[in-house]
Structures are given as C-alpha cells and as structure tokens.
Amino acid sequence: AQSVTQLGSHVSVSEGALVLLRCNYSSSVPPYLFWYVQYPNQGLQLLLKYTTGATLVKGINGFEAEFKKSETSFHLTKPSAHMSDAAEYFCAVSLYTSGTYKYIFGTGTRLKVLA
Amino acid sequence: NAGVTQTPKFQVLKTGQSMTLQCAQDMNHEYMSWYRQDPGMGLRLIHYSVGAGITDQGEVPNGYNVSRSTTEDFPLRLLSAAPSQTSVYFCASCWGGGGTYEQYFGPGTRLTVT
C-alpha cells in the first residue's frame, strides 16, 4: 500500500537552530509531494510542494524541501528556527490510482521551539 | 473569497444520533474531500469528490455518507454517531482533479460523541 512516513512525532529545537523534519514515501511511481503546516485550532495550509523540475523546493516562511528519488524522501528544513514556527507539520503525497488522484497524509510532526 | 467554510465549529452528539457537517467553497474547485484528524494518526481520508455528482470512498468511509449536488457544497452525514467518531473533521478543496494542486482546508469541526 502507498504510504507516507514521518519520522518523529515530536521534534524540539532551540530558537536559531536548524529545523529538519523527515518524510519518506512508498510508491512505485514518484508522486507529487507536499508539506503543510497546522497552527493550533486551525486548518492546514500549504508550505511548499514538489511536482516536477527542480528537486529543491522553496516555500513560505523560509522553509525548503528536497525531493530525493533514490531515497524516496522529501525532508523539510529551515536554517534557523523561530518561535513562530512551533506548529504541527504534515507531509502528503498525491497519487494517481483507480482513475483519480488521492491525497495521503503522514501522521504529522509537532515542532517545539525552545527559547 | 471566503475560501472553504465549515459549520458547525463544535458539536456534541449522543450515540445513535445523526447529523450533517456542512462544507462549502467559493473557489470553483472541482475536487473536494473530507478528512478526520485523530491524535497520532494524522489526517485520514473519509470521502472525496472529483466533481458534482461524483463521489468515492477514502480510507475510512464506514459510518459516513456524502453527496455532491453542486460544485460548491460537499456535506458529510453521520448516519448513527458512535464514540469512535469523536474527532476533528476537515473539509478541503482543490483545483481541477487534484494531482499537482494543493488543497485548501476549512477551519474544522470538532465533534464529540458521548
């Protein structure tokens, strides 16, 4: 079955430190890949996405992610964490199956930023 | 544009009751979907629709019905509520048939079944 795995349900970093949130997918065909962020008591909003072309994708709020086909990964990074980055982050894939697209989400990683 | 709107924001049901969660979007998106979010399980797809009159099941469809009579609206019906359906429900919409397009999410409905 197609799936998305996010390693680490909780990640803590110090303010100003590197943020690395991991995402791996399993698919026989490279999917379209997304990262979403969810702030408390809100819906999800798009951070960035990879569809085709350049494998390093830049998103909002200084985040970026690199698609590595050989590793089936799409890890999210930010060079310097800010307190406002504290939120839950979801990796998602869009897969074409049975004649339509379905979106599959990972289980999420809650990022805590320490002062 | 209001984007994706959901009503109600909060709801408490007793076991066995039925109700409809409303979802509407004003972006003329063809693709709409319903998810439930539970701690440690991420978002799980309940039902989705690729256009008016077309719906299909997702990962966890049991106990839920949907219909899509217009492009704008995609209501989710709980037929006979059970405590296992206590969750936060999100509606989302997407341009075209999905694929490369990102989804736009509503603010969610927090449902408690006692």
Side-chain angles (χ1 to χ4, degrees):
Chain A
Q2 324 287 9
S3 69
V4 177
T5 302
Q6 291 184 242
L7 287 176
S9 58
H10 292 81
V11 170
S12 293
V13 299
S14 298
E15 192 174 19
L18 171 72
V19 176
L20 171 60
L21 305 182
R22 300 178 187 274
C23 174
N24 288 86
Y25 67 90
S26 66
S27 173
S28 56
V29 176
Y32 301 121
L33 297 152
F34 305 81
W35 275 101
Y36 288 86
V37 61
Q38 184 182 33
Y39 298 104
N41 300 315
Q42 294 185 26
L44 280 69
Q45 54 185 272
L46 182 73
L47 268 180
L48 49 80
K49 67 178 181 180
Y50 169 79
T51 55
T52 59
T55 56
L56 181 62
V57 180
K58 295 187 186 300
I60 61 171
N61 301 338
F63 284 93
E64 60 183 39
E66 186 171 11
F67 169 57
K68 292 187 176 180
K69 182 179 176 181
S70 61
E71 299 177 7
T72 62
S73 70
F74 191 56
H75 301 331
L76 182 71
T77 60
K78 181 174 180 178
S80 176
H82 192 273
M83 297 298 288
S84 61
D85 294 327
E88 190 155 21
Y89 293 81
F90 291 92
C91 181
V93 300
S94 168
L95 294 167
Y96 192 75
T97 177
S98 302
T100 188
Y101 281 97
K102 286 185 183 176
Y103 294 86
I104 301 172
F105 284 80
T107 53
T109 297
R110 188 170 296 278
L111 176 67
K112 186 175 181 179
V113 181
L114 307 171
Chain B
N1 286 352
V4 180
T5 58
Q6 291 184 239
T7 55
K9 284 189 166 45
F10 301 93
Q11 184 70 49
V12 179
L13 289 178
K14 294 188 188 307
T15 297
Q17 287 184 317
S18 62
M19 79 160 295
T20 299
L21 307 186
Q22 301 292 344
C23 174
Q25 52 91 9
D26 61 359
M27 297 174 283
N28 203 31
H29 286 171
E30 294 179 24
Y31 192 106
M32 295 186 74
S33 50
W34 275 102
Y35 297 88
R36 58 177 291 172
Q37 183 178 26
D38 303 291
M41 304 192 74
L43 274 76
R44 292 182 291 169
L45 181 64
I46 305 172
H47 286 286
Y48 66 101
S49 168
V50 297
I54 307 169
T55 64
D56 205 348
Q57 297 181 350
E59 181 186 356
V60 289
N62 291 343
Y64 308 96
N65 268 0
V66 292
S67 60
R68 184 96 179 269
S69 56
T70 67
T71 299
E72 294 77 19
D73 300 299
F74 191 44
L76 178 72
R77 279 181 286 277
L78 279 70
L79 308 173
S80 177
S84 60
Q85 293 179 303
T86 293
S87 187
V88 181
Y89 291 84
F90 288 101
C91 178
S93 73
C94 180
W95 185 256
T100 62
Y101 301 105
E102 66 268 27
Q103 295 190 83
Y104 292 79
F105 284 82
T109 294
R110 189 174 296 272
L111 176 68
T112 302
V113 183
T114 61

